[in-house]
Amino acid sequence: MGETVNSQTVSKELTLIADQSRYDPDKVFISMAHLMDVEFLEEAFHKLRRKAAPGIDKVTKDDYQENLDENLRDLHGRLVSKKYRAQPARRTWIPKNDGGQRPLAILNLEDKLVQKAVSMLVSAVYEPMFYDFSYGFRPGCSQHQALSYLREQCMSMNIHWIVDADIRGFFDNIDRALLREILKSRVNDGTIIALIGKWFNAGILECGELSIPDRGTQQGGVISPLLANIFLHTVLDDWFEKEVRPQMKGRCFIVRFADDFVVGFELESDAKRFYAVLPKRMERYGLEMHPEKTRMIQFKRPGPGDKKGMSTFDFLGFTHHWGKSLKGNWVIKRKTQRQRLSMAMAKIWDWCKSKRHEPIANQYEKLCSKLRGHYQYYGIRGNYKMLEVFYEHTERTWKYWLGRRTRNGHIKWEKFENKYRKLFPLPKPRIAHML
C-alpha cells in the first residue's frame, strides 16, 4: 500500500514538471534536485531492471533490496551532503551487426539508481518537447512504431528519395561541453548538472586499467539514452522541423530511433540539398556522418511495367523494399536484414553446440524462448519467409548437435521426427505485428 502511495506521489510531481514544460516552452528549471528524497529514490530503484549485470562492486538489485530503507537513507544523506561519489563503470564488449564490437559500460547499482532518479526528472522536462517522429528510448515508443511510421510516410507522401543516415560512433563522440550547454537551456539545476559531470568523469575500468574519456556518454549508462535524445533533439530534430522542412519545395519527413534515422523526400532537388548540408550540420556539433553508410537513394513506387522496385535501405534490422501485395498493388515491404539474420543463425549454432550435453527438456525450453523472441521482433507482415528460414535453421542445428551426443554422431530425420519433433515441437513462425 505504501509503495503505491509513494508511486502516486512521485507521478504527480513528474506530471507537474511535464505540464510546466509543455505550457511554457521557454521555462528554465533551476530547482528540481530537492525532489529526489528517499521516496523518490525508492521509486527509481523499483524501476531498475532486476536482472541487470552488477558493476565493479558486484552488488545486485536483490542484494541492495535486503536493507533497502537503510541503504536509500544513507544514499540520500550522501547526495544532500555532496558526499556521493560516482564509481568507474565496468567495460564489456558486445557484438555489433556489422561484425565489430560495441563497448558497454556496466555501472554500480547506486550509480544506476541515481542516474534513474535524475533521468526521471529531466525526462519530465524534455518529453513534452520531443517530436512524435523520435521513437528511441522513450516511454510508450518502440521500434515497431518507428517502422510503421516510416512506411506510412513513404506511402502517403509519394516519397521518391531516401537519405539513409549513419552517425559515426555517435555515443562515443558527443561533445560534453555542448551537451551541457544544451541541457542548461532547459535544466539549469546545479546539483543535476554536477551529478552528470561526476558520471562523465568517473571513467571506465577495463582489465585493471582506468581511463577517463573526454568525449561521449557511456553506452549502458541509465541516463545515456536520454542525454543522447536531448543532444540529437537540438542537433537534428529541431533543426529539421524549424529550418529544413520550411525550405523544402516538396513533402518530406524524418524518423529517428536513438542515433539511427532515415529522411524521405518527394523531390530529388530537396534530397540533394539536405544530403549536402547534413554533414556540415553534424560537424558543427562535433559529429561525423559515416561516409560509407550514409547514402542518398532513389526509392520511388515502381511503374505499371516494372517487375521490381529500385534500391533498398535498412532501418532497425529490416530491409525495406517495394513489392507486390496479394491484390497486385505496389507496397513497401520489410524483410529481416541479411546481416541480422546471419548473426542470429550463428548465435543459434553456437548456443546449440555449447549446450548439447544439457538435458533435452532444458534445451527445448530455451530454444522455444529464443524463437518466440525472434518472432516477437521480426514477425511483421510480409516477413514470414524470413521467419521460416530462421525456424528451419534452428531445427536443423538442434538436430545436428543432438546427433553429436550419439555414438554414430548423427540422427536420421525419421528418428528425429519420432523421438524429438513430436515430444518437443519448436514453435512455428508467426506474425506478431500487422504493420
Side-chain angles (χ1 to χ4, degrees), residues 203-410:
I204 300 288
L205 194 62
E206 182 178 15
C207 299
E209 295 290 330
L210 178 66
S211 61
I212 304 178
D214 58 0
R215 298 177 67 85
T217 179
Q218 299 167 341
Q219 293 189 65
V222 175
I223 201 172
S224 294
L226 175 59
L227 295 179
N229 270 339
I230 291 171
F231 195 71
L232 280 180
H233 172 78
T234 295
V235 175
L236 181 64
D237 302 352
D238 218 33
W239 169 67
F240 185 85
E241 279 297 295
K242 295 178 179 179
E243 297 184 38
V244 175
R245 190 190 296 275
Q247 297 184 40
M248 298 294 101
K249 296 180 179 179
R251 290 175 289 182
C252 62
F253 76 91
I254 182 172
V255 59
R256 181 172 69 81
F257 192 93
D259 61 324
D260 194 359
F261 65 97
V262 168
V263 191
F265 298 90
E266 186 176 17
L267 302 179
E268 181 182 8
S269 57
D270 288 342
K272 285 183 175 179
R273 289 178 63 194
F274 178 80
Y275 187 67
V277 77
L278 178 61
K280 300 174 184 177
R281 174 69 180 182
M282 291 297 165
E283 185 179 349
R284 177 179 169 186
Y285 288 88
L287 299 174
E288 178 186 3
M289 301 307 301
H290 198 296
E292 297 173 1
K293 296 181 180 180
T294 301
R295 60 196 183 118
M296 187 182 89
I297 62 170
Q298 189 173 18
F299 193 72
K300 68 177 183 179
R301 186 192 304 267
D306 294 330
K307 294 184 178 180
K308 63 178 183 178
M310 297 179 61
S311 303
T312 65
F313 66 93
D314 298 325
F315 184 61
L316 298 181
F318 291 90
T319 297
H320 296 67
H321 63 100
W322 284 98
K324 287 287 187 72
S325 69
L326 293 177
K327 295 182 178 180
N329 300 319
W330 285 107
V331 295
I332 294 176
K333 294 188 173 183
R334 287 73 51 92
K335 62 182 179 181
T336 309
Q337 192 176 331
R338 181 180 300 177
Q339 215 168 26
R340 293 283 187 97
L341 182 61
S342 297
M343 285 187 63
M345 292 166 68
K347 287 180 179 179
I348 286 290
W349 178 271
D350 292 339
W351 188 89
C352 288
K353 178 182 179 181
S354 65
K355 305 295 183 181
R356 63 187 183 277
H357 295 301
E358 290 194 0
I360 303 296
N362 293 357
Q363 293 187 46
Y364 171 71
E365 182 180 356
K366 189 64 176 179
L367 280 175
C368 287
S369 177
K370 289 179 178 294
L371 281 168
R372 292 191 186 103
H374 188 86
Y375 301 157
Q376 183 60 33
Y377 186 77
Y378 291 103
I380 67 174
R381 181 174 52 181
N383 196 37
Y384 191 83
K385 287 185 179 180
M386 292 297 100
L387 300 184
E388 281 188 320
V389 170
F390 186 69
Y391 166 79
E392 292 168 359
H393 168 80
T394 301
E395 190 175 57
R396 288 195 306 269
T397 298
W398 196 31
K399 171 185 174 295
Y400 176 84
W401 286 110
L402 287 177
R404 301 293 289 178
R405 293 160 48 119
T406 67
R407 183 178 301 177
N408 295 330
H410 69 277

Side-chain angles (χ1 to χ4, degrees), residues 166-193:
D166 185 276
I167 304 175
R168 190 198 290 268
F170 170 68
F171 283 91
D172 294 332
N173 289 296
I174 293 177
D175 187 309
R176 293 176 178 176
L178 287 174
L179 172 60
R180 189 178 294 109
E181 291 306 309
I182 290 172
L183 187 61
K184 287 169 70 174
S185 67
R186 289 307 306 273
V187 179
N188 198 12
D189 184 306
T191 299
I192 288 178
I193 299 298

